[in-house]
PDB file of all heavy atoms in Angstrom:
ATOM      1  N   GLU A  53     -13.375  15.521   6.817  1.00  0.00           N
ATOM      2  CA  GLU A  53     -12.080  15.760   7.570  1.00  0.00           C
ATOM      3  C   GLU A  53     -10.881  15.371   6.813  1.00  0.00           C
ATOM      4  O   GLU A  53      -9.832  15.120   7.356  1.00  0.00           O
ATOM      5  CB  GLU A  53     -12.118  14.978   8.901  1.00  0.00           C
ATOM      6  CG  GLU A  53     -13.250  15.324   9.832  1.00  0.00           C
ATOM      7  CD  GLU A  53     -13.105  16.690  10.511  1.00  0.00           C
ATOM      8  OE1 GLU A  53     -12.070  16.870  11.131  1.00  0.00           O
ATOM      9  OE2 GLU A  53     -13.968  17.512  10.405  1.00  0.00           O
ATOM     10  N   GLY A  54     -10.979  15.349   5.525  1.00  0.00           N
ATOM     11  CA  GLY A  54      -9.804  14.995   4.595  1.00  0.00           C
ATOM     12  C   GLY A  54      -9.388  13.645   4.679  1.00  0.00           C
ATOM     13  O   GLY A  54      -8.324  13.256   4.226  1.00  0.00           O
ATOM     14  N   THR A  55     -10.230  12.721   5.240  1.00  0.00           N
ATOM     15  CA  THR A  55      -9.834  11.284   5.253  1.00  0.00           C
ATOM     16  C   THR A  55      -9.958  10.646   3.919  1.00  0.00           C
ATOM     17  O   THR A  55     -10.629  11.154   3.058  1.00  0.00           O
ATOM     18  CB  THR A  55     -10.719  10.509   6.209  1.00  0.00           C
ATOM     19  OG1 THR A  55     -12.082  10.697   5.768  1.00  0.00           O
ATOM     20  CG2 THR A  55     -10.626  10.976   7.624  1.00  0.00           C
ATOM     21  N   ALA A  56      -9.213   9.512   3.817  1.00  0.00           N
ATOM     22  CA  ALA A  56      -9.307   8.732   2.574  1.00  0.00           C
ATOM     23  C   ALA A  56     -10.582   8.053   2.439  1.00  0.00           C
ATOM     24  O   ALA A  56     -10.936   7.214   3.252  1.00  0.00           O
ATOM     25  CB  ALA A  56      -8.168   7.698   2.556  1.00  0.00           C
ATOM     26  N   ILE A  57     -11.451   8.468   1.487  1.00  0.00           N
ATOM     27  CA  ILE A  57     -12.653   7.741   1.204  1.00  0.00           C
ATOM     28  C   ILE A  57     -12.296   6.394   0.557  1.00  0.00           C
ATOM     29  O   ILE A  57     -11.626   6.345  -0.419  1.00  0.00           O
ATOM     30  CB  ILE A  57     -13.577   8.560   0.336  1.00  0.00           C
ATOM     31  CG1 ILE A  57     -14.072   9.817   1.126  1.00  0.00           C
ATOM     32  CG2 ILE A  57     -14.866   7.761  -0.037  1.00  0.00           C
ATOM     33  CD1 ILE A  57     -14.752  10.795   0.349  1.00  0.00           C
ATOM     34  N   ARG A  58     -12.729   5.325   1.303  1.00  0.00           N
ATOM     35  CA  ARG A  58     -12.117   4.024   0.966  1.00  0.00           C
ATOM     36  C   ARG A  58     -12.230   3.661  -0.551  1.00  0.00           C
ATOM     37  O   ARG A  58     -11.329   3.182  -1.178  1.00  0.00           O
ATOM     38  CB  ARG A  58     -12.817   2.983   1.778  1.00  0.00           C
ATOM     39  CG  ARG A  58     -12.507   3.105   3.189  1.00  0.00           C
ATOM     40  CD  ARG A  58     -13.264   2.178   3.996  1.00  0.00           C
ATOM     41  NE  ARG A  58     -12.840   2.111   5.388  1.00  0.00           N
ATOM     42  CZ  ARG A  58     -13.216   1.164   6.244  1.00  0.00           C
ATOM     43  NH1 ARG A  58     -14.004   0.233   5.776  1.00  0.00           N
ATOM     44  NH2 ARG A  58     -12.857   1.123   7.454  1.00  0.00           N
ATOM     45  N   SER A  59     -13.397   3.961  -1.085  1.00  0.00           N
ATOM     46  CA  SER A  59     -13.712   3.502  -2.406  1.00  0.00           C
ATOM     47  C   SER A  59     -12.690   4.165  -3.422  1.00  0.00           C
ATOM     48  O   SER A  59     -12.477   3.637  -4.540  1.00  0.00           O
ATOM     49  CB  SER A  59     -15.099   3.872  -2.830  1.00  0.00           C
ATOM     50  OG  SER A  59     -15.183   5.308  -2.759  1.00  0.00           O
ATOM     51  N   LYS A  60     -12.160   5.344  -3.052  1.00  0.00           N
ATOM     52  CA  LYS A  60     -11.364   5.993  -3.996  1.00  0.00           C
ATOM     53  C   LYS A  60      -9.940   5.474  -4.008  1.00  0.00           C
ATOM     54  O   LYS A  60      -9.043   5.892  -4.738  1.00  0.00           O
ATOM     55  CB  LYS A  60     -11.319   7.505  -3.716  1.00  0.00           C
ATOM     56  CG  LYS A  60     -12.695   8.067  -4.004  1.00  0.00           C
ATOM     57  CD  LYS A  60     -12.829   9.520  -4.008  1.00  0.00           C
ATOM     58  CE  LYS A  60     -14.213   9.994  -4.366  1.00  0.00           C
ATOM     59  NZ  LYS A  60     -14.598  11.288  -3.769  1.00  0.00           N
ATOM     60  N   THR A  61      -9.658   4.521  -3.063  1.00  0.00           N
ATOM     61  CA  THR A  61      -8.243   4.069  -2.926  1.00  0.00           C
ATOM     62  C   THR A  61      -7.990   2.707  -3.627  1.00  0.00           C
ATOM     63  O   THR A  61      -6.942   2.528  -4.206  1.00  0.00           O
ATOM     64  CB  THR A  61      -7.863   3.980  -1.495  1.00  0.00           C
ATOM     65  OG1 THR A  61      -8.841   3.197  -0.814  1.00  0.00           O
ATOM     66  CG2 THR A  61      -7.880   5.347  -0.848  1.00  0.00           C
ATOM     67  N   TYR A  62      -8.900   1.792  -3.501  1.00  0.00           N
ATOM     68  CA  TYR A  62      -8.648   0.445  -4.147  1.00  0.00           C
ATOM     69  C   TYR A  62      -9.573   0.217  -5.318  1.00  0.00           C
ATOM     70  O   TYR A  62     -10.733   0.585  -5.194  1.00  0.00           O
ATOM     71  CB  TYR A  62      -8.867  -0.647  -3.081  1.00  0.00           C
ATOM     72  CG  TYR A  62      -8.097  -0.521  -1.904  1.00  0.00           C
ATOM     73  CD1 TYR A  62      -8.693   0.035  -0.739  1.00  0.00           C
ATOM     74  CD2 TYR A  62      -6.733  -0.810  -1.843  1.00  0.00           C
ATOM     75  CE1 TYR A  62      -7.959   0.261   0.361  1.00  0.00           C
ATOM     76  CE2 TYR A  62      -6.077  -0.631  -0.713  1.00  0.00           C
ATOM     77  CZ  TYR A  62      -6.636  -0.148   0.417  1.00  0.00           C
ATOM     78  OH  TYR A  62      -5.934   0.055   1.571  1.00  0.00           O
ATOM     79  N   ASN A  63      -9.086  -0.344  -6.277  1.00  0.00           N
ATOM     80  CA  ASN A  63      -9.976  -0.655  -7.462  1.00  0.00           C
ATOM     81  C   ASN A  63      -9.413  -1.862  -8.173  1.00  0.00           C
ATOM     82  O   ASN A  63      -9.157  -1.867  -9.356  1.00  0.00           O
ATOM     83  CB  ASN A  63     -10.054   0.613  -8.397  1.00  0.00           C
ATOM     84  CG  ASN A  63     -11.328   0.635  -9.173  1.00  0.00           C
ATOM     85  OD1 ASN A  63     -12.136  -0.305  -9.118  1.00  0.00           O
ATOM     86  ND2 ASN A  63     -11.532   1.724  -9.869  1.00  0.00           N
ATOM     87  N   LYS A  64      -9.243  -2.920  -7.438  1.00  0.00           N
ATOM     88  CA  LYS A  64      -8.560  -4.111  -7.954  1.00  0.00           C
ATOM     89  C   LYS A  64      -9.509  -5.156  -8.485  1.00  0.00           C
ATOM     90  O   LYS A  64      -9.503  -5.515  -9.619  1.00  0.00           O
ATOM     91  CB  LYS A  64      -7.680  -4.680  -6.870  1.00  0.00           C
ATOM     92  CG  LYS A  64      -6.612  -3.652  -6.421  1.00  0.00           C
ATOM     93  CD  LYS A  64      -5.202  -4.022  -6.898  1.00  0.00           C
ATOM     94  CE  LYS A  64      -4.245  -2.838  -6.781  1.00  0.00           C
ATOM     95  NZ  LYS A  64      -4.026  -2.342  -5.467  1.00  0.00           N
ATOM     96  N   THR A  65     -10.294  -5.728  -7.488  1.00  0.00           N
ATOM     97  CA  THR A  65     -11.187  -6.794  -7.857  1.00  0.00           C
ATOM     98  C   THR A  65     -12.529  -6.332  -8.341  1.00  0.00           C
ATOM     99  O   THR A  65     -12.858  -5.139  -8.222  1.00  0.00           O
ATOM    100  CB  THR A  65     -11.431  -7.747  -6.703  1.00  0.00           C
ATOM    101  OG1 THR A  65     -12.078  -6.961  -5.723  1.00  0.00           O
ATOM    102  CG2 THR A  65     -10.085  -8.252  -6.087  1.00  0.00           C
ATOM    103  N   ILE A  66     -13.331  -7.266  -8.874  1.00  0.00           N
ATOM    104  CA  ILE A  66     -14.655  -6.927  -9.454  1.00  0.00           C
ATOM    105  C   ILE A  66     -15.526  -6.402  -8.260  1.00  0.00           C
ATOM    106  O   ILE A  66     -16.306  -5.553  -8.394  1.00  0.00           O
ATOM    107  CB  ILE A  66     -15.279  -8.126 -10.156  1.00  0.00           C
ATOM    108  CG1 ILE A  66     -16.713  -7.762 -10.693  1.00  0.00           C
ATOM    109  CG2 ILE A  66     -15.373  -9.321  -9.264  1.00  0.00           C
ATOM    110  CD1 ILE A  66     -16.624  -7.053 -11.988  1.00  0.00           C
ATOM    111  N   ILE A  67     -15.310  -7.084  -7.098  1.00  0.00           N
ATOM    112  CA  ILE A  67     -16.104  -6.636  -5.920  1.00  0.00           C
ATOM    113  C   ILE A  67     -15.807  -5.170  -5.583  1.00  0.00           C
ATOM    114  O   ILE A  67     -16.728  -4.374  -5.284  1.00  0.00           O
ATOM    115  CB  ILE A  67     -15.740  -7.547  -4.702  1.00  0.00           C
ATOM    116  CG1 ILE A  67     -16.294  -8.983  -4.960  1.00  0.00           C
ATOM    117  CG2 ILE A  67     -16.301  -6.993  -3.394  1.00  0.00           C
ATOM    118  CD1 ILE A  67     -17.845  -9.076  -4.898  1.00  0.00           C
ATOM    119  N   ASP A  68     -14.521  -4.798  -5.669  1.00  0.00           N
ATOM    120  CA  ASP A  68     -14.143  -3.434  -5.356  1.00  0.00           C
ATOM    121  C   ASP A  68     -14.761  -2.482  -6.336  1.00  0.00           C
ATOM    122  O   ASP A  68     -15.255  -1.377  -6.049  1.00  0.00           O
ATOM    123  CB  ASP A  68     -12.574  -3.239  -5.498  1.00  0.00           C
ATOM    124  CG  ASP A  68     -11.896  -3.924  -4.246  1.00  0.00           C
ATOM    125  OD1 ASP A  68     -12.569  -3.959  -3.195  1.00  0.00           O
ATOM    126  OD2 ASP A  68     -10.749  -4.297  -4.439  1.00  0.00           O
TER     127      ASP A  68
END
Side-chain angles (χ1 to χ4, degrees):
Chain A
E53 299 285 306
T55 54
I57 292 171
R58 294 174 171 193
S59 60
K60 294 191 175 153
T61 54
Y62 305 98
N63 207 353
K64 300 251 163 61
T65 62
I66 180 83
I67 291 291
D68 289 333

